[in-house]
Amino acid sequence: MSTSYKGPDPVTTEIIRNGFIAATEEMKTNLMRTAYNMIIYEALDFTVGLFDRHGNTVSIGLGLPMFIRGMSETIKAKLAHFGADGIAPGDVLLTNDAYTTGSHLNHMTFSVPIFHDGRLIGFSACMAHWQDIGGTLDGMTTDIFSEGLQMPLVKAWRAGVPNEEILSIIRMNVRLPERAMGDLKAQVAAVRTGEKRFLELVAKYGEAAVDGAIASIFDHGEAVARASVAQIPDGVYEAESFMDDDGIEAGRRIPIRVKVTVAGDAMTIDLTDVGAQVRGFYNSGETAGRSAAQVAFKCLTSGLELPVNDGAFRNLTIVLPAGRVVSAERPAPMRWWMTYPMTVVDTIFKALAPAVPTRVIAGHHADLVIASINGRQPRDNQLYLYLGGLIGGGWGAKMGEDGMSATVAINDGDTHNGPSEQVEAKYPLIVERYALREDSGGAGKYRGGLGTEQVVRARHDIMFNAQIDRVDCRPWGLFGGLSALGNEVRLERDGAVERFPTGKVLSQKLTAGDVYTVCSGGGGGFGSPLERNLADLENDVRQGYVSQKAAAEFYGAVFDKNGRIDRDATALRRADMRRRGLPKDRPFATEDHSDWGGCPYCDRMLWPHPEAEQMAREAAANGLSRWRCC
């Protein structure tokens, strides 16, 4: 094919577009096949991408949605630091600066500049989770300095030559250097793959054609997003939710308040009123806050459009002042950066529920629900680190469809759980149970997805740390759907079961025979549970998704002696429940008002009361499942 270029050609553009998608998928595959740690090759805790010469995203290999801004902003920071003239072919640029990437220090981000005929034409990048980056293993951190090695913007390779001083600094600061350096080489190989495929497209079609295709990809992404936003009624939409606490001030809820403004074909997401950065390690950088807004926007406007590129966000404005929990400033701790942004995404959906009820879902379990385990191998006393869990949980129901069960939270997208067989083969642990959690999904006309329960027995001494949130603040329902069960942690030592009102269970020693259990929450329901199809409800009970007790309490079901639902008796019971304002929602585990008729926010006894019934109807009409009298 001739490399002469006379303007954007749609056929060539489409070939190049798919070439970029294929390249990032190959980068992803190569990293999976060569990485040393299970968190990368099994859990897929990484993202790869290709970028234009300015650092704008051209294509991201599907991975962690919350990395959607991290790599691009990191490349732009490297460009600003080194300058275009300070970058040469063969350089490998590296950083894990939490306030640049927006995430924790475990995310090492490598990028290579791509040159053609001596000109910088793009970048290839990879952001992946390292199992260990130094820092403390157990307990809470309260500043970034205790969380491990901070690598500023550096060149790990200079013009193709390894920078041994930088590499030796890394080796000295990690506990398992052979594994860390293996992952390092795997990431470099992945970004080299992206560089090679980018240059092959240029060699085949010409630099001008590739530049034109990138411009067309951006323009198409923008056009799709604008057309989608234009279908949303103009207006200002607001919502709030809460996180349990920051792990230090127990029970002090952290507000997540968002405001979404739609005007024509443009949208503004304002995160000004998200809670201030906290003392515990649940902060994330501005990049993560912007990523949360972009993830929600992408889902609402062009979720299936590939490649994921920066053109799709041209009509999105994000307002995010510094110093919020998703725009934290140095030296705020960032170790568990990924938790709060997930609820930011959900809350944006919640805000827009009255405007576009067919495009949103109810709240989901919104936590990775993992346990950080460390110990010594019985056979050789070698240290091991295990990020236990990633068990998946319930996603919210949507109009016309039940929520997904046992699905990893939105922050991690394509991330997988660690197979039980791998866990038992590599670590002194036995996975005794991994199952769906009955009654965890929020009741509704469309039921929320179910969470899971994983029970693990230690075969040797281990240190256990759980950093789980949304235990108290349950996943909410929409349009009369009820909240789901929240996440949960339990320990069993010497035969005694310990339950915790929080998911922050840190620095716990378990000995051989002790058991830890992590339970993920469900997804919120959509629509009144008194409207659920009885055949579907019977199937729920038969499959063990919903117990008979819950079917009676929340769905109004009446069962005959054979365990079948009595249609006539159920219709009468449902009518009576509607008159009494039942079932009631239980948005907080610590304020479960299942046995009385009070407002969830004050001590007024309201049920039955016409004023309260009207409040409940108005809340449901606005897409909410909670009401208040005060």
Side-chain angles (χ1 to χ4, degrees):
M1 174 179 286
S2 170
T3 57
S4 61
Y5 181 69
K6 300 180 177 63
D9 170 66
V11 175
T12 303
T13 294
E14 184 66 7
I15 293 170
I16 293 172
R17 181 182 75 86
N18 281 280
F20 281 126
I21 295 172
T24 47
E25 286 303 303
E26 184 180 359
M27 293 167 67
K28 179 178 176 179
T29 299
N30 286 355
L31 179 57
M32 290 166 55
R33 289 178 173 174
T34 55
Y36 276 52
N37 279 292
M38 199 162 73
I39 190 70
I40 295 179
Y41 66 74
E42 286 288 359
L44 312 189
D45 192 344
F46 68 85
T47 301
V48 297
L50 294 172
F51 306 82
D52 69 11
R53 61 175 55 87
H54 305 294
N56 299 312
T57 304
V58 176
S59 176
I60 290 180
L62 294 179
L64 273 70
M66 222 58 76
F67 285 179
I68 200 169
R69 286 255 49 83
M71 289 187 296
S72 176
E73 295 305 318
T74 300
I75 290 171
K76 291 176 180 177
K78 291 170 179 175
L79 267 173
H81 179 76
F82 293 107
D85 295 335
I87 300 172
D91 285 351
V92 177
L93 313 178
L94 167 65
T95 190
N96 72 337
D97 176 35
Y99 307 95
T100 299
T101 67
S103 59
H104 55 190
L105 299 177
N106 297 75
H107 286 151
M108 284 289 203
T109 305
F110 292 83
S111 53
V112 297
I114 303 172
F115 286 84
H116 179 251
D117 291 339
R119 294 187 302 276
L120 178 65
I121 61 171
F123 288 88
S124 174
C126 173
M127 190 175 188
H129 184 116
W130 282 24
Q131 192 76 44
D132 173 57
I133 200 67
T136 183
L137 284 178
D138 303 303
M140 176 63 64
T141 55
T142 55
D143 62 37
I144 196 70
F145 304 106
S146 57
E147 296 186 338
L149 171 67
Q150 296 185 71
M151 183 59 63
L153 302 167
V154 299
K155 292 186 178 183
W157 269 255
R158 293 181 181 274
V161 178
N163 186 340
E164 291 298 339
E165 291 180 345
I166 293 296
L167 300 182
S168 65
I169 290 172
I170 295 172
R171 288 190 194 97
M172 184 172 285
N173 281 276
V174 296
R175 294 177 175 88
L176 301 170
E178 68 282 357
R179 290 189 168 272
M181 301 314 288
D183 286 344
L184 181 151
K185 292 175 182 177
Q187 285 188 258
V188 172
V191 294
R192 291 292 191 203
T193 298
E195 175 190 31
K196 179 180 179 181
R197 299 304 182 219
F198 197 120
L199 288 173
E200 286 176 351
L201 289 173
V202 172
K204 187 171 184 178
Y205 300 104
E207 185 179 331
V210 171
D211 282 347
I214 291 172
S216 294
I217 290 168
F218 287 170
D219 290 345
H220 175 74
E222 178 183 4
V224 171
R226 287 192 182 279
S228 185
V229 173
Q231 297 172 5
I232 302 174
D234 286 1
V236 178
Y237 307 95
E238 299 182 64
E240 72 172 2
S241 59
F242 296 90
M243 310 303 296
D244 293 348
D245 56 53
D246 69 350
I248 293 179
E249 297 184 63
R252 182 176 177 271
R253 293 180 186 143
I254 311 300
I256 305 293
R257 300 187 181 97
V258 305
K259 180 167 69 174
V260 181
T261 302
V262 178
D265 61 0
M267 180 183 292
T268 298
I269 295 177
D270 189 341
L271 304 180
T272 299
D273 292 328
V274 169
Q277 66 185 61
V278 294
R279 293 172 58 205
F281 53 30
Y282 291 92
N283 300 289
S284 55
E286 178 184 354
T287 305
R290 293 184 175 278
S291 292
Q294 287 193 341
V295 167
F297 182 80
K298 177 72 172 168
C299 291
L300 289 163
T301 60
S302 56
L304 300 179
E305 286 287 322
L306 295 176
V308 177
N309 66 85
D310 275 348
F313 307 108
R314 286 175 173 170
N315 61 323
L316 171 65
T317 300
I318 302 168
V319 180
L320 179 56
R324 304 300 186 264
V325 74
V326 289
S327 59
E329 297 181 289
R330 193 179 298 275
M334 309 270 275
R335 193 172 188 179
W336 229 247
W337 74 282
M338 62 289 221
T339 301
Y340 288 12
M342 296 189 232
T343 295
V344 173
V345 174
D346 265 7
T347 309
I348 293 170
F349 294 156
K350 185 180 183 181
L352 285 167
V356 281
T358 60
R359 295 194 199 179
V360 300
I361 65 172
H364 80 309
H365 66 289
D367 197 287
L368 295 186
V369 195
I370 56 181
S372 299
I373 307 294
N374 65 83
R376 297 278 173 177
Q377 293 285 7
R379 60 181 179 270
D380 56 13
N381 203 41
Q382 290 295 306
L383 174 71
Y384 69 87
L385 308 173
Y386 169 54
L387 206 58
L390 286 170
I391 58 176
W395 281 53
K398 57 186 178 181
M399 183 175 288
E401 188 175 331
D402 291 346
M404 298 294 292
S405 300
T407 302
V408 172
I410 197 167
N411 175 80
D412 273 41
D414 277 0
T415 298
H416 298 175
N417 64 321
S420 298
E421 297 80 5
Q422 285 264 26
V423 173
E424 293 179 343
K426 292 179 181 294
Y427 309 109
L429 302 167
I430 297 176
V431 181
E432 295 190 339
R433 176 178 169 83
Y434 185 15
L436 293 176
R437 188 181 175 198
E438 187 180 57
D439 290 337
S440 56
K445 180 178 182 179
Y446 301 102
R447 174 183 46 75
L450 270 65
T452 61
E453 178 185 68
Q454 186 182 64
V455 180
V456 181
R457 186 175 299 275
R459 294 193 290 115
H460 197 256
D461 293 354
I462 64 173
M463 288 298 295
F464 174 90
N465 293 268
Q467 303 89 352
I468 297 168
D469 204 273
R470 298 291 298 277
V471 172
D472 179 36
C473 302
R474 293 169 167 172
W476 55 83
L478 291 176
F479 299 99
L482 302 187
S483 300
L485 291 185
N487 305 305
E488 185 181 352
V489 180
R490 298 193 298 271
L491 298 179
E492 181 181 338
R493 290 183 276 207
D494 298 324
V497 176
E498 302 172 74
R499 294 178 179 269
F500 300 89
T502 174
K504 287 82 170 178
V505 182
L506 304 171
S507 302
Q508 299 292 310
K509 183 178 180 180
L510 303 182
T511 60
D514 291 344
V515 174
Y516 73 82
T517 300
V518 287
C519 300
S520 58
F526 195 106
S528 170
L530 301 182
E531 297 176 12
R532 184 159 180 80
N533 180 280
L534 293 182
D536 291 337
L537 183 58
E538 276 187 330
N539 184 62
D540 288 342
V541 174
R542 184 166 55 250
Q543 298 290 345
Y545 302 155
V546 177
S547 67
Q548 281 198 13
K549 179 178 183 297
E553 181 178 359
F554 300 119
Y555 293 94
V558 178
F559 292 87
D560 62 24
K561 62 182 180 180
N562 297 315
R564 301 288 302 276
I565 293 178
D566 184 319
R567 267 57 178 174
D568 293 337
T570 296
L572 291 173
R573 181 169 185 173
R574 284 181 164 183
D576 180 64
M577 290 177 69
R578 289 188 183 96
R579 285 193 297 271
R580 296 167 57 200
L582 299 175
K584 300 186 184 71
D585 193 31
R586 306 173 186 179
F588 300 106
T590 52
E591 299 176 7
D592 192 331
H593 301 286
S594 57
D595 58 349
W596 66 289
C599 170
Y601 296 88
C602 71
D603 294 329
R604 286 182 62 189
M605 300 295 289
L606 293 176
W607 295 108
H609 193 287
E611 178 187 352
E613 293 174 6
Q614 178 63 26
M615 291 176 186
R617 284 195 295 270
E618 290 175 359
N622 286 317
L624 306 177
S625 63
R626 289 162 48 202
W627 51 271
R628 64 191 302 166
C629 69
C630 49

